[in-house]
């Protein structure tokens, strides 16, 4: 019977996403559906799955892997750079940015959540509904980072200020409750030891980061498909920190959460996280969610009148604990989005499940109270995402087109600028030659500069752009300006070099700085060779219906998707994929990887939309 229960659970875990995809059931997160299926299969309804030692062990491993992956989701990049580390462009953008940055808004918002949660917890104690103030506070200030990330990815908001703000609030909604739970468990556990011993976990985590800091630098040279060293390292860190945590009287889930943070700080490859997600969400985590539903006996819960009162009371408490987020988000974002972000922050489930499991082990909560907290949390996973999806709309600041500045107006640059203008780019051209200004100003918007001194270009906002093209014929001038533009912080600098002697002498310097260089003779030679080898090249490049394009894959939505499964594959032909300094000839089975540079052909009408979709930082 034990084996049959496990087979049924694994079959359910396989069927749930297939059924959701088949019937386009996007209203509920997969985790919520898995809990509901567990309720149906458990003693509440069909009673065909029964808890046993094997399933209990797999459930415990599932919550550890879930908390590990939650720690791995936290992005520390927003906290890692001080103002002195920013380029002049980034400092200027920071100075001109709205007063309230995502970091400030997130800390203000979460501080308000903590205060309101404490107040609500005291009110519940005074009402006699739930006496444990600190456990209630920890529960009400939790936020499900995984569900929030999924919603933000779907809307492609992770790189936007609004998405970063909600993401940071959610990260705090996992980190702070985990810290609070650690001290709570240490205070009430019969096996608790001195609180200072908890520092041993942090010390061990720090030593692991220091010891394995260079691991992924030589990982590619030693890794084999039969060794999977990155996965072995991850599970070593998990088991070590969980063991230390339990040895000092803390909960194992704290060690798992810290293990995720340790691996994140080691900066693993994207493929590493994909493999770890596959192990977790492919096996252990579905068992945890389904077994959580199995353990939720609705017959017993709903037969108790007190529980029927607790469910709506706890649901209201979860929602009200986050209401103070709205006026804080309103300081920067429009009214509808502030409400949408507040609704999304009410979503809570994963950490609640972990907290309830710990509280039950400590006998600090009854089964009825635990069930009421869990049912209310499940309802937040319906209310939050639905409200968010209905109310969110694009912020005006996020809809601006890509900005390109040209220095140098001539017969090469002006036609390119004209074509890009028609394709939705924000184009500005600059020249210090009055003759060129008079010749081309009627063709396209050209600004006449007094000189090309870098300090004056900064003052005139010439370097405040996404891409700068140095298209003059003077290679020395282009070299000087390319260095200045990169030092200022322009993300992409494209420079023309007609003098091979200058380029040969200084190519290494430019490549280290990230400058992209080209020369007319090299382009012409490559074109002529292509015409000889591939006669249709010229027709393809000059066609009014189709052309060759390149895009860097930054949208996680398409990572590890096979070429044949791209939703727009019928509209494009992928010619080459440039990956890790080499070209990959794609087939239908070729999976795309993050930061792949994809060369493809398509119609000019569809290319812009496809490049935006694949290139979105998500």
């Amino acid at each position: 019977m034990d084996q049959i229960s496990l087979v049924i659970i694994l079959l359910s875990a396989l069927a749930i996403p297939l059924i959701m995809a088949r019937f386009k059931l996007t209203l509920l997160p997969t985790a919520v559906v898995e809990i509901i299926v567990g309720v149906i299969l458990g003693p509440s309804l069909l009673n065909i799955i029964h808890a046993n030692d094997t399933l209990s062990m797999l459930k415990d491993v599932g919550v550890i892997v879930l908390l590990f992956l939650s720690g791995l989701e936290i992005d520390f990049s927003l906290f890692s750079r001080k103002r002195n580390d920013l380029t002049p462009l980034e400092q200027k953008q920071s100075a001109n940015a709205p007063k309230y940055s995502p970091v400030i808004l997130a800390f203000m918002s979460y501080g308000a959540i903590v205060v309101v949660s404490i107040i609500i917890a005291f009110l519940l104690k005074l009402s006699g509904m739930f006496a444990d103030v600190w456990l209630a506070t920890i529960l009400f200030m939790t936020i499900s980072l995984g569900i929030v990330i999924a919603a933000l990815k779907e809307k492609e908001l992770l790189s936007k200020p609004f998405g970063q703000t909600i993401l940071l609030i959610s990260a705090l909604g996992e980190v702070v409750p985990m810290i609070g739970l650690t001290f709570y468990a240490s205070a009430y556990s019969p096996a608790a030891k001195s609180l200072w011993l908890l520092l041993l976990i942090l010390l061990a985590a720090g030593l692991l980061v220091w010891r394995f800091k260079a691991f992924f630098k030589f990982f590619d040279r030693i890794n084999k498909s039969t060794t999977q060293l990155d996965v072995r390292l991850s599970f070593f860190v998990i088991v070590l920190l969980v063991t230390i945590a339990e040895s000092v009287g803390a909960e194992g889930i704290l060690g798992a959460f810290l293990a995720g943070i340790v691996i994140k700080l080691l900066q693993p490859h994207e493929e590493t996280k994909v493999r770890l997600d596959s192990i977790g969400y492919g096996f252990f985590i579905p068992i945890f969610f389904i077994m959580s539903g199995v353990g939720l006996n609705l017959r017993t819960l709903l037969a108790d009148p007190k529980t029927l009162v607790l469910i709506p009371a706890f649901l209201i408490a979860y929602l009200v604990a986050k209401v103070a987020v709205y006026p804080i988000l309103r300081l920067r974002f429009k009214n509808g989005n502030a409400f949408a972000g507040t609704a999304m922050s009410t979503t809570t489930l994963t950490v609640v499940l972990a907290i309830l499991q710990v509280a039950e082990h400590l006998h600090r909560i009854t089964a009825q109270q635990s069930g009421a907290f869990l049912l209310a949390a499940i309802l937040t996973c319906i209310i939050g995402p639905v409200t968010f999806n209905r109310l969110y709309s694009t912020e005006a600041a996020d809809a601006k087109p890509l900005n390109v500045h040209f220095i140098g107006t001539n017969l090469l640059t002006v036609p390119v600028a004209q074509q890009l203008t028609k394709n939705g780019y924000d184009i500005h051209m600059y020249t210090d030659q009055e003759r060129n200004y008079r010749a081309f100003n009627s063709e396209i918007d050209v600004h006449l500069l007094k000189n090309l001194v870098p300090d004056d270009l900064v003052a005139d906002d010439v370097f405040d752009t996404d891409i700068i093209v140095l298209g003059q014929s003077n290679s020395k001038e282009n070299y000087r300006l390319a260095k200045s533009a990169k030092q200022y912080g322009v993300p992409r600098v494209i420079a023309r070099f007609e003098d091979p002697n200058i380029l040969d002498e200084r190519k290494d310097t430019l490549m280290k700085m990230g400058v992209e260089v080209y020369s007319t003779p090299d382009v012409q030679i490559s074109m002529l060779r292509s015409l000889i080898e591939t006669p249709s090249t010229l027709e393809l490049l000059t066609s009014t219906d189709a052309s060759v394009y390149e895009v860097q894959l930054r949208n996680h939505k398409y990572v590890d998707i096979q070429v044949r499964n791209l939703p727009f594959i019928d509209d494009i032909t992928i010619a080459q994929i440039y990956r890790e300094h080499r070209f990959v000839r794609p087939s239908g089975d070729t999976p795309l990887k993050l930061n792949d540079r994809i060369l493809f052909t398509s119609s000019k009408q569809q290319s812009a939309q496809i490049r935006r979709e694949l290139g979105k930082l998500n």
Side-chain angles (χ1 to χ4, degrees):
M1 289 300 296
D2 291 355
Q3 291 177 326
I4 292 175
S5 293
L6 180 57
V7 169
I8 294 172
I9 289 174
L10 294 178
L11 178 61
S12 301
L14 174 64
I16 287 169
L18 294 175
I19 293 172
M20 291 181 69
R22 174 65 179 82
F23 295 100
K24 299 181 180 179
L25 303 176
T26 58
L27 180 65
L28 298 177
T30 305
V32 174
V33 177
E34 288 169 345
I35 293 173
I36 293 173
V37 169
V39 171
I40 295 171
L41 298 177
S44 298
L45 288 173
L46 300 180
N47 199 27
I48 60 176
I49 293 179
H50 305 278
N52 55 62
D53 291 341
T54 301
L55 293 179
S56 297
M57 182 270 292
L58 290 173
K59 180 184 176 184
D60 291 340
V61 174
V63 72
I64 286 174
V65 175
L66 176 64
L67 268 295
F68 166 74
L69 293 177
S70 296
L72 196 60
E73 290 282 6
I74 297 174
D75 185 2
F76 296 95
S77 61
L78 290 173
F79 303 96
S80 62
R81 300 180 73 188
K82 299 178 181 178
R83 183 172 176 81
N84 292 337
D85 298 327
L86 302 179
T87 64
L89 175 58
E90 290 170 327
Q91 291 184 19
K92 186 171 182 179
Q93 291 173 338
S94 176
N96 294 333
K99 180 180 178 181
Y100 299 100
S101 69
V103 175
I104 293 174
L105 289 174
F107 276 100
M108 289 172 61
S109 298
Y110 197 73
I113 290 173
V114 173
V115 171
V116 176
S117 297
I118 294 172
I119 294 172
I120 293 174
F122 273 106
L123 291 176
L124 284 176
K125 181 178 180 179
L126 292 175
S127 68
M129 290 185 179
F130 191 72
D132 195 329
V133 172
W134 302 118
L135 180 59
T137 299
I138 294 170
L139 285 165
F140 294 143
M141 64 187 190
T142 59
I143 303 172
S144 282
L145 180 62
I147 294 176
V148 171
I149 286 177
L152 294 176
K153 278 185 178 180
E154 185 66 25
K155 291 284 188 180
E156 298 173 336
L157 295 173
L158 287 180
S159 63
K160 306 293 190 297
F162 178 82
Q164 291 173 349
T165 303
I166 305 303
L167 182 64
L168 278 171
I169 295 172
S170 304
L172 291 170
E174 286 212 341
V175 174
V176 176
M178 285 300 302
I179 296 172
L181 179 63
T182 299
F183 287 99
Y184 178 86
S186 298
Y188 291 105
S189 173
K193 297 179 175 60
S194 299
L195 285 176
W196 68 267
L197 288 174
L198 295 175
L199 296 175
L200 290 177
I201 312 174
L202 299 177
L203 177 62
L207 288 173
L208 286 169
V209 172
W210 173 76
R211 176 63 184 85
F212 292 101
K213 191 172 182 179
F215 178 83
F216 287 98
K217 292 182 179 178
F218 66 92
F219 167 74
D220 289 329
R221 300 201 306 267
I222 61 176
N223 187 50
K224 299 178 182 177
S225 60
T226 55
T227 56
Q228 299 293 333
L229 288 173
D230 50 348
V231 177
R232 295 187 187 195
L233 172 65
S234 299
F235 278 95
F236 165 72
V237 173
I238 293 172
V239 174
L240 177 62
L241 291 181
V242 168
T243 302
I244 294 174
E246 292 179 346
S247 299
V248 300
E251 289 297 321
I253 58 175
L254 172 68
F257 189 72
L258 283 175
I261 292 175
V262 168
I263 297 298
K264 181 70 173 184
L265 291 175
L266 293 177
Q267 299 179 335
H269 294 170
E270 187 67 26
E271 291 82 358
T272 298
K273 186 171 185 309
V274 170
R275 283 193 282 269
L276 293 170
D277 280 343
S278 300
I279 295 171
Y281 290 103
F283 182 70
F284 292 108
I285 294 174
I287 294 176
F288 169 68
F289 283 129
I290 292 174
M291 285 303 298
S292 297
V294 170
L296 193 62
N297 193 331
L298 292 184
R299 292 181 182 179
T300 305
L301 287 175
L302 300 181
D304 186 349
K306 185 179 179 181
T307 306
L308 295 176
V309 176
L310 288 178
I311 294 171
F314 290 160
L315 174 60
I316 292 171
Y318 280 129
L319 301 177
V320 173
K322 312 304 193 308
V323 294
V325 173
Y326 170 77
I328 297 172
L329 293 181
R330 191 70 184 85
L331 294 173
R332 177 164 180 177
F333 306 111
K334 57 188 181 182
N335 185 58
N337 288 350
F339 196 90
T342 303
M344 201 64 225
S345 69
T346 64
T347 304
T348 183
L349 182 62
T350 49
V351 180
V352 165
L353 280 165
I355 293 170
L356 292 175
Q357 182 167 304
V358 171
E360 289 177 10
H361 287 165
L362 298 176
H363 304 292
R364 300 292 302 176
I365 192 172
T366 67
Q368 286 75 18
Q369 291 169 336
S370 177
F373 272 116
L374 180 54
L375 284 172
I378 290 173
L379 292 174
T380 66
C381 293
I382 300 172
I383 296 171
V386 169
T387 305
F388 174 78
N389 289 328
R390 287 181 64 88
L391 293 182
Y392 179 79
S393 59
T394 304
E395 292 279 336
D398 297 337
K400 63 180 182 180
L402 197 66
N403 195 267
V404 183
H405 287 184
F406 286 81
I407 296 181
T409 53
N410 49 55
L411 293 175
L412 177 64
T413 59
V414 170
V416 174
Q418 289 174 327
Q419 293 179 22
L420 291 175
T421 301
K422 295 177 182 178
N423 289 335
Y425 288 81
D426 183 15
I427 303 296
H428 296 275
M429 301 200 75
Y430 300 90
T431 182
D432 63 339
Q433 303 293 324
E434 187 171 353
R435 181 185 59 180
N436 290 357
Y437 171 78
R438 290 198 305 267
F440 296 108
N441 190 43
S442 60
E443 304 292 328
I444 195 169
D445 181 29
V446 181
H447 303 271
L448 180 62
L449 302 173
K450 294 179 181 179
N451 56 62
L452 295 180
V453 176
D455 289 342
D456 292 340
L457 295 179
V458 170
D460 291 333
D461 298 331
V462 178
F463 285 169
D464 294 344
T465 181
D466 300 306
I467 303 173
I468 192 163
V469 179
L470 304 171
Q472 306 173 103
S473 58
N474 189 330
S475 297
K476 290 184 178 179
E477 186 79 359
N478 288 342
Y479 173 75
R480 181 176 63 85
L481 292 177
K483 287 182 61 179
S484 299
K486 265 301 176 184
Q487 290 167 352
Y488 185 73
V490 180
R492 288 188 64 197
V493 177
I494 302 173
R496 175 185 177 188
F497 284 90
E498 303 297 357
D499 188 341
N501 295 322
I502 294 176
L503 183 59
D504 291 343
E505 291 177 5
R506 300 164 186 175
K507 187 174 182 179
D508 289 342
T509 302
L510 294 174
M511 290 182 64
K512 288 179 181 177
M513 297 183 73
V515 176
E516 302 165 53
V517 301
Y518 73 97
S519 69
T520 306
D522 286 345
V523 171
Q524 291 173 338
I525 291 169
S526 298
M527 175 58 68
L528 180 57
R529 189 188 69 199
S530 297
L531 284 173
I532 295 171
E533 296 177 347
T534 313
S536 59
T537 298
L538 183 61
E539 181 180 349
L540 178 64
L541 293 177
T542 59
S543 170
T544 58
D545 296 324
S547 190
V548 178
Y549 302 93
E550 178 181 330
V551 62
Q552 183 176 8
L553 179 59
R554 301 192 298 173
N555 193 336
H556 283 72
K557 182 178 179 180
Y558 298 101
V559 172
D560 289 309
I561 297 290
Q562 290 180 323
V563 167
R564 66 156 59 93
N565 294 328
L566 287 172
F568 39 76
I569 189 60
D570 292 337
D571 301 323
I572 67 173
T573 299
I574 298 179
Q576 292 279 6
I577 297 174
Y578 190 65
R579 177 183 299 163
E580 297 178 354
H581 308 294
R582 62 187 180 88
F583 282 101
V584 175
R585 186 175 297 278
S587 65
D589 297 327
T590 303
L592 299 179
K593 300 296 181 182
L594 194 67
N595 295 320
D596 278 353
R597 302 196 76 92
I598 302 170
L599 281 73
F600 69 95
T601 59
S602 79
S603 68
K604 293 183 178 181
Q605 292 78 13
Q606 293 171 320
S607 64
Q609 180 180 352
I610 292 170
R611 293 176 74 189
R612 280 196 302 269
E613 181 69 13
L614 293 174
K616 284 179 181 176
L617 184 59
N618 182 18

